[in-house]
Amino acid sequence: MKKQNPLTSATRKVAFGAAAIVVLAGATILTGCKKEEKTQPDVAGIERPSKAVTETYQSGTHNGFFWSLWQSDGATGTVNYANGPGGNYSVNWNGFNGNFTCGKGYSAGSPSYKIGYNLGTYSNSGGGTFGWYGWSRNPYYEYYVNETWGAVSPHTGTYLGTFESDGAGYNVWTRWMTGKNIDGGDGFRQIYSSRVNKVSTGQNHVITFANHYNKWSSLGYTLGQLNIPAIMVSETWGSNTNGNINCTIWMQ
């Protein structure tokens, strides 16, 4: 990653190809990380890219929280990301073609995290999910706790059963990915819990991550080192997608 100078004003506009991304944050920007694009079959008229692409990654700290914004190269359309007070952030996008993720969280993951959050607004005409997200090393896992999702269901791979956490039912899925992991090596595993019923907006909710970590471990999928940032992620992918998300997180 190539580290750039800190932002000198509250607003900085960064252009990636034909896509314009507006970041509202007084934070250091990191660029140049690469991650393999995941593959997904066409569903409901939404096509996800099936080849590896160069991607752009930005991250920093804001009010004690880690934040990041990632998007695939060659994307078109407009994405507006803003860091609000405390653990709040918002993102809206129009006519977006490609894949992006963004969110606020912490500079390292932990199996003991208990995350409170309020999803004030959620609309997403594309694919992609909203929930707790991160990576582990040794072994390489990309993990999700999916609280809600856009127009396309995230339920793919091998179904491993259902369990209850924080008063909600979750389905567990896993699949092996042949793309590049976060360190540029070949292959990694996805593991995720996905709510049986999508979360409601405008109410306080909790994710007790230990419940998911322990459930995955009991099924033979134990995460590795978690000294990698973890965020409450907002994601979209697809063609000509539009959406608006506002979220606030805190540590319980």
Side-chain angles (χ1 to χ4, degrees):
M1 292 183 292
K2 182 179 179 182
K3 187 173 182 180
Q4 297 181 345
N5 293 328
L7 297 177
T8 56
S9 63
T11 304
R12 177 170 179 170
K13 186 172 183 179
V14 186
F16 302 101
I21 292 186
V22 179
V23 180
L24 306 179
T28 300
I29 299 298
L30 304 179
T31 63
C33 292
K34 293 184 179 180
K35 173 184 168 188
E36 183 80 3
E37 186 90 38
K38 295 184 282 292
T39 59
Q40 185 88 354
D42 295 353
V43 183
I46 298 175
E47 181 179 354
R48 184 163 188 161
S50 59
K51 63 180 181 179
V53 295
T54 302
E55 299 151 345
T56 303
Y57 179 75
Q58 305 172 58
S59 67
T61 57
H62 183 263
N63 289 339
F65 290 86
F66 174 88
W67 69 271
S68 68
L69 172 62
W70 165 90
Q71 77 136 28
S72 55
D73 188 45
T76 59
T78 301
V79 179
N80 299 293
Y81 174 85
N83 284 316
N88 176 263
Y89 76 89
S90 62
V91 61
N92 63 78
W93 63 99
N94 295 284
F96 186 79
N97 301 281
N99 184 198
F100 79 80
T101 64
C102 64
K104 258 183 176 177
Y106 301 97
S107 58
S110 170
S112 64
Y113 279 164
K114 190 171 185 179
I115 305 297
Y117 75 92
N118 188 303
L119 181 60
T121 304
Y122 186 85
S123 65
N124 177 9
S125 68
T129 66
F130 168 86
W132 192 242
Y133 168 78
W135 282 80
S136 78
R137 289 187 175 98
N138 300 320
Y140 288 102
Y141 279 95
E142 184 182 33
Y143 63 84
Y144 295 80
V145 179
N146 295 326
E147 298 293 276
T148 192
W149 49 90
V152 181
S153 169
H155 304 146
T156 57
T158 301
Y159 172 66
L160 300 176
T162 301
F163 76 107
E164 186 170 306
S165 178
D166 299 305
Y170 287 86
N171 295 314
V172 182
W173 298 78
T174 188
R175 60 177 175 168
W176 178 254
M177 306 298 289
T178 58
K180 300 295 184 183
N181 59 48
I182 54 172
D183 292 326
D186 292 329
F188 60 94
R189 178 165 293 279
Q190 285 185 338
I191 184 79
Y192 59 96
S193 304
S194 190
R195 269 183 175 252
V196 174
N197 298 306
K198 294 181 179 182
V199 74
S200 57
T201 58
Q203 298 180 0
N204 291 349
H205 300 279
V206 175
I207 296 174
T208 303
F209 187 59
N211 295 344
H212 302 272
Y213 180 94
N214 292 334
K215 179 63 177 180
W216 300 339
S217 294
S218 73
L219 295 169
Y221 301 97
T222 301
L223 300 183
Q225 299 169 0
L226 294 173
N227 57 341
I228 302 169
I231 61 173
M232 188 65 77
V233 72
S234 294
E235 176 189 33
T236 196
W237 53 262
S239 300
N240 195 31
T241 65
N242 302 284
N244 180 36
I245 299 172
N246 187 293
C247 171
T248 302
I249 72 166
W250 59 90
M251 190 70 74
Q252 289 283 98

